């Protein structure tokens, strides 16, 4: 029975993903011939067509990705991959704690290795052919090694702690403890992220542009925002795509601009983009999202706590754990593997909430700064990032965290009157 529910949901997910991708490809191709009216004076036909080609190329790659993900998921579950791997590791590792850790690491390593060719293709063929890639193969490999080592350094002590704890003190509410442990761990990661982890990959330098600094300081004053630190990140090391973001919290809170963004926008436009980011902060979007994440994690751990001793959960997914080994490791792996299938239909709801936040941040920016400047910044960014101006409405409603360009700009224009 549970097998059937799983297969049906996986089928719904896969068909929906393919359907939406095909819709997006078709819609974008159909609107390739002409720049939409509202952008006719700002974006050239060549740029518009380049954005269409880029969007289509990415969707085609996404279709391959969907296919690979289904094969990998079925391979681990119903086709018996996880059971075989579990038996193999259990046979060779006698320590219950290390057996569980090794199982987690091996499954994530296998998934990583399978996704590697596609990641390589994305960077060195797709992004490269549209002129976005700045990464060298050397840097790609260096990043990969660093990410892997970092992942091991972080996850081994975390899971060692968890499994050792569970071995020493068994309680039926083990999942509450596990949730609390993960939550504290995530808060620590968010706190040290901007100062310890991100500098491992990028260089952060204090913003050194008097005109821009003055504008930003005065915006911060108007918005009554205690501005801690402004940094520039060398995003151009990897990609030509530009961005700006808030990161960290407490005394580690900082605003980071990609160097690629600074080189493209005027100080007035950057101020408007920053006002939008401040809008997210003022409307408490960041803290709300954080709380939401902890609540969701609590629910997931509760579900895992319920499922862990249910035979149908494992058998239904084609997994047969050995009886002499602790079950936590394999339960966590299996749960993480299949969770996306069960939460997929939540995607459009989460996208809708995210777009609502974007509208709020835009209104805030229109009040605190200049909506004209934000529009002109957005148009430049759409153009530079080759983001399509004509996304398929259904695809966009389902996936997009940001409203489509035309609607977003229409809202900003309305805010000016
Ligand atoms: Zn935003």
């Amino acid at each position: 029975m549970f097998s059937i529910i799983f297969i049906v949901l996986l089928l719904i997910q896969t068909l929906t993903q393919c359907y939406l991708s095909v819709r997006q490809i078709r819609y974008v191709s159909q609107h390739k011939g002409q720049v939409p009216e509202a952008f006719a004076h700002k974006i050239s036909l060549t740029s518009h067509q380049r954005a269409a080609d880029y969007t289509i190329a990415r969707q085609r790659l996404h279709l391959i990705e969907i296919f690979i993900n289904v094969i990998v998921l079925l391979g681990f579950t119903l086709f018996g991959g996880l059971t075989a791997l579990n038996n193999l590791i259990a046979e060779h590792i006698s320590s219950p704690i290390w057996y569980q850790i090794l199982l987690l690491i091996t499954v994530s390593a296998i998934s990583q290795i399978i996704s590697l060719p596609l990641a390589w293709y994305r960077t060195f063929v797709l992004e490269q052919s549209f002129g976005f890639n700045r990464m060298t193969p050397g840097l790609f490999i260096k990043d990969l090694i660093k990410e892997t080592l970092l992942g091991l350094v972080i996850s081994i002590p975390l899971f060692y702690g968890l499994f050792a704890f569970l071995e020493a003190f068994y309680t039926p509410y083990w999942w509450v403890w596990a949730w609390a442990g993960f939550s504290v761990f995530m808060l620590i990661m968010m706190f040290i992220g901007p100062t310890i982890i991100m500098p491992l990959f990028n260089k952060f330098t204090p913003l050194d542009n008097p005109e821009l600094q003055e504008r930003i300081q005065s915006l911060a004053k108007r918005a009554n925002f205690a501005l801690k630190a402004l940094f520039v990140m060398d995003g151009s090391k990897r990609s030509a795509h530009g961005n700006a973001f808030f990161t960290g919290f407490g005394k580690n809170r900082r605003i980071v601009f990609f160097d690629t963004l600074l080189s493209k926008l005027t100080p007035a436009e950057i101020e408007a983009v920053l006002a939008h980011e401040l809008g997210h902060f003022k409307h408490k979007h960041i803290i709300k999202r954080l709380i939401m994440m902890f609540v969701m994690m609590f629910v997931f751990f509760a579900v895992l706590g319920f499922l862990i001793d249910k035979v149908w959960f494992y058998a239904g997914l084609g997994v047969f754990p050995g009886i002499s080994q602790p079950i936590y490791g394999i339960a966590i792996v299996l749960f993480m593997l299949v969770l996306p299938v069960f939460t997929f239909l939540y995607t459009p709801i989460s996208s809708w909430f995210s777009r609502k936040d974007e509208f709020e941040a835009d209104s805030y920016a229109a009040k605190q700064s200049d909506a004209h400047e934000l529009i002109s910044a957005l148009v430049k960014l759409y153009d530079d990032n080759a983001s399509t101006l004509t996304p398929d409405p259904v695809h966009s409603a389902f996936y997009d965290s940001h409203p489509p360009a035309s609607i977003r700009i229409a809202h900003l224009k309305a805010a000016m009157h």
Side-chain angles (χ1 to χ4, degrees):
M1 182 62 197
F2 189 54
S3 300
I4 297 172
I5 297 175
F6 174 65
I7 291 170
V8 168
L9 284 175
L10 182 61
L11 210 61
I12 292 176
Q13 177 188 15
T14 310
L15 292 177
T16 311
Q17 286 174 328
C18 292
Y19 169 71
L20 290 171
S21 256
V22 170
R23 272 192 76 107
Q24 175 81 330
I25 291 173
R26 208 176 47 203
Y27 196 92
V28 170
S29 335
Q30 277 166 358
H31 293 79
K32 197 179 156 180
Q34 203 184 355
V35 184
E37 192 69 46
F39 299 93
H41 303 294
K42 293 168 193 148
I43 284 175
S44 71
L45 184 63
T46 327
S47 283
H48 177 66
Q49 289 178 337
R50 172 171 170 262
D53 291 338
Y54 181 55
T55 309
I56 292 166
R58 276 173 40 197
Q59 284 302 328
R60 291 209 171 117
L61 191 62
H62 183 54
L63 283 168
I64 299 173
E65 211 170 35
I66 295 168
F67 181 70
I68 293 176
N69 287 343
V70 171
I71 299 289
V72 170
L73 182 56
L74 287 175
F76 273 127
T77 56
L78 299 180
F79 298 158
L82 189 54
T83 307
L85 197 63
N86 183 55
N87 291 340
L88 185 73
I89 295 172
E91 228 169 79
H92 291 90
I93 308 288
S94 56
S95 150
I97 294 177
W98 283 107
Y99 140 76
Q100 296 180 85
I101 291 177
L102 210 64
L103 182 65
L104 284 166
I105 292 176
T106 315
V107 171
S108 99
I110 292 172
S111 313
Q112 282 283 327
I113 291 168
I114 292 172
S115 68
L116 207 56
L118 225 54
W120 183 277
Y121 179 88
R122 172 171 293 125
T123 307
F124 295 110
V125 180
L126 201 156
E127 294 286 310
Q128 186 82 42
S129 68
F130 285 89
F132 288 126
N133 180 44
R134 299 277 172 81
M135 189 111 101
T136 58
L139 182 60
F140 187 92
I141 291 164
K142 222 168 95 185
D143 276 358
L144 193 69
I145 294 171
K146 266 199 246 175
E147 281 160 14
T148 309
L149 289 178
L150 189 67
L152 290 174
V153 166
I154 292 170
S155 61
I156 291 178
L158 179 73
F159 282 105
Y160 192 94
L162 176 69
F163 296 140
F165 174 85
L166 293 173
E167 197 174 59
F169 316 93
Y170 173 78
T171 106
Y173 294 106
W174 67 273
W175 57 270
V176 181
W177 291 100
W179 169 77
F182 270 91
S183 300
V184 169
F185 164 78
M186 280 176 82
L187 285 172
I188 295 173
M189 292 311 289
M190 275 180 246
F191 189 71
I192 65 169
T195 46
I196 297 180
I197 295 180
M198 284 156 71
L200 295 174
F201 295 92
N202 281 97
K203 221 185 265 151
F204 291 84
T205 42
L207 177 68
D208 181 26
N209 178 333
E211 187 196 347
L212 187 56
Q213 256 166 337
E214 207 188 294
R215 271 184 173 277
I216 292 173
Q217 293 297 352
S218 106
L219 167 72
K221 210 177 270 171
R222 282 202 305 280
N224 196 16
F225 179 83
L227 193 59
K228 295 273 152 62
L230 289 165
F231 282 89
V232 182
M233 188 185 109
D234 58 345
S236 58
K237 193 170 144 188
R238 295 191 177 79
S239 159
H241 292 298
N243 205 350
F245 60 93
F246 258 106
T247 162
F249 58 90
K251 74 174 172 44
N252 279 5
R253 189 170 77 197
R254 48 176 69 180
I255 292 169
V256 177
F257 295 106
F258 279 38
D259 53 356
T260 36
L261 186 84
L262 294 181
S263 66
K264 280 166 198 162
L265 302 184
T266 67
E269 288 166 343
I270 292 170
E271 182 201 306
V273 169
L274 186 59
H276 168 98
E277 296 300 326
L278 283 181
H280 281 307
F281 191 81
K282 284 283 167 180
H283 282 288
K284 304 207 165 34
H285 294 157
I286 298 159
I287 191 86
K288 276 186 207 157
R289 232 171 264 186
L290 213 60
I291 293 170
M292 186 68 192
M293 190 179 77
F294 288 125
V295 172
M296 294 274 257
M297 264 175 43
F298 186 82
V299 174
F300 292 153
F301 271 105
V303 173
L304 180 60
F306 167 76
L307 291 173
I308 198 150
D309 54 4
K310 304 290 181 285
V311 175
W312 54 262
F313 170 61
Y314 303 94
L317 295 169
V319 176
F320 300 94
I323 33 168
S324 58
Q325 295 290 347
I327 196 93
Y328 302 104
I330 196 164
I332 292 172
V333 170
L334 184 59
F335 188 72
M336 297 293 283
L337 282 171
V338 300
L339 185 63
V341 177
F342 291 88
T343 55
F344 175 70
L345 291 174
Y346 175 71
T347 313
I349 302 169
S350 128
S351 305
W352 185 86
F353 276 111
S354 169
R355 290 195 301 271
K356 188 175 143 281
D357 288 355
E358 292 307 325
F359 282 129
E360 280 179 4
D362 275 351
S363 313
Y364 183 87
K367 270 185 230 122
Q368 295 294 338
S369 181
D370 189 340
H372 287 285
E373 298 294 348
L374 185 54
I375 293 175
S376 109
L378 286 173
V379 171
K380 272 194 202 173
L381 292 176
Y382 278 112
D383 195 4
D384 272 331
N385 290 326
S387 307
T388 181
L389 299 170
T390 55
D392 172 54
V394 180
H395 182 277
S396 173
F398 199 93
Y399 287 119
D400 286 355
S401 61
H402 288 65
S406 53
I407 299 177
R408 197 170 169 190
I409 287 168
H411 269 248
L412 276 170
K413 279 186 177 150
M416 285 188 279
H417 305 298

